[in-house]
Amino acid sequence: SSARVLRGGSRVVSRGVDGTIAVFDTATGEALHLFGRRWAAPGGSFPQFSAEVEVFPSGDRVLSWGREPRATVWDLADGVAVCRLGQGHLGVILAARVFPRGDKAITGGHDRRAIIWSVGTCSRLHVLPHLTSVTAVGVLDEGRLVVTGSLQGWLTIWCSETGLRVRTLVEQPAMPMQGIGGLEAFPGGDRLVVYNHAKAVVWG
């Protein structure tokens, strides 16, 4: 499950382990909207893959993913799915990020692929192949570059316009053995904090 504070701080959006998305009033605790797909729980327990949500820069949409090979863009005003990013991944999506302008998104999956999408057309722009599962993704340089992290522990930087690889840090893996669990870019985009369950490393 995950939660994000919306612009202004008056609302919070969260996604539960069952896939449901809720928008709460932070002053009253009242649930303003409840939407999204509710997953079944075989045997009374949910799979190990997390259910995540990312807020668009405009604050009026969210991107959700987890436990299935597609991500969905939701309108927060009415809970309508405005875009489904699902023609590309062959396995569970493990990570996703929205570009600064809100016009694109990148997803990383268990199928050893990262995919850059057009949110406007709900279409696939570039497929970025990897040797192992893509467990973390990020956006750099105002969307001109993207970075991916893998279960193998390597970081790769790509050009978002062409889908071509710019650089792969293979000589000294950022997270050898344990793999990369997630990453976040510093405001200037010149450094990254890369982490997993065991440690965090500033890379730049």
Side-chain angles (χ1 to χ4, degrees):
S1 60
S2 64
R4 297 288 186 271
V5 178
L6 297 178
R7 182 182 296 176
S10 62
R11 295 178 300 163
V12 169
V13 59
S14 68
R15 195 176 197 203
V17 293
D18 65 351
T20 302
I21 298 171
V23 181
F24 294 95
D25 186 306
T26 56
T28 66
E30 177 186 2
L32 303 176
H33 302 291
L34 190 65
F35 54 92
R37 180 180 179 183
R38 185 181 294 274
W39 293 311
S45 61
F46 289 94
Q48 62 178 334
F49 300 110
S50 61
E52 304 286 343
V53 66
E54 173 93 355
V55 181
F56 274 68
S58 59
D60 59 352
R61 292 181 175 185
V62 294
L63 176 68
S64 69
W65 71 93
R67 302 199 186 114
E68 54 189 355
R70 71 176 182 181
T72 304
V73 179
W74 303 89
D75 189 312
L76 286 177
D78 51 21
V80 172
V82 297
C83 183
R84 298 190 188 277
L85 310 177
Q87 299 298 320
H89 281 292
L90 304 176
V92 173
I93 292 177
L94 302 175
R97 281 289 185 273
V98 177
F99 278 54
R101 294 183 180 179
D103 58 335
K104 297 178 185 177
I106 179 172
T107 55
H110 197 57
D111 59 354
R112 300 181 295 179
R113 298 178 177 183
I115 299 177
I116 299 175
W117 306 84
S118 166
V119 173
T121 61
C122 303
S123 61
R124 183 179 61 188
L125 298 176
H126 302 292
V127 177
L128 316 178
H130 292 69
L131 297 177
T132 57
S133 298
V134 181
T135 52
V137 295
V139 181
L140 304 174
D141 196 20
E142 297 299 318
R144 286 180 284 272
L145 300 173
V146 294
V147 58
T148 57
S150 70
L151 189 63
Q152 197 172 20
W154 295 350
L155 289 172
T156 305
I157 298 173
W158 311 77
C159 174
S160 63
E161 291 299 320
T162 64
L164 297 177
R165 184 175 58 200
V166 176
R167 183 186 178 196
T168 301
L169 306 176
V170 296
E171 295 85 0
Q172 296 178 329
M175 293 285 177
M177 301 304 293
Q178 301 99 336
I180 294 174
L183 61 86
E184 293 290 339
F186 279 66
D190 57 339
R191 291 187 296 169
L192 297 169
V193 57
V194 184
Y195 58 89
N196 60 20
H197 68 280
K199 63 179 179 179
V201 176
V202 175
W203 198 274

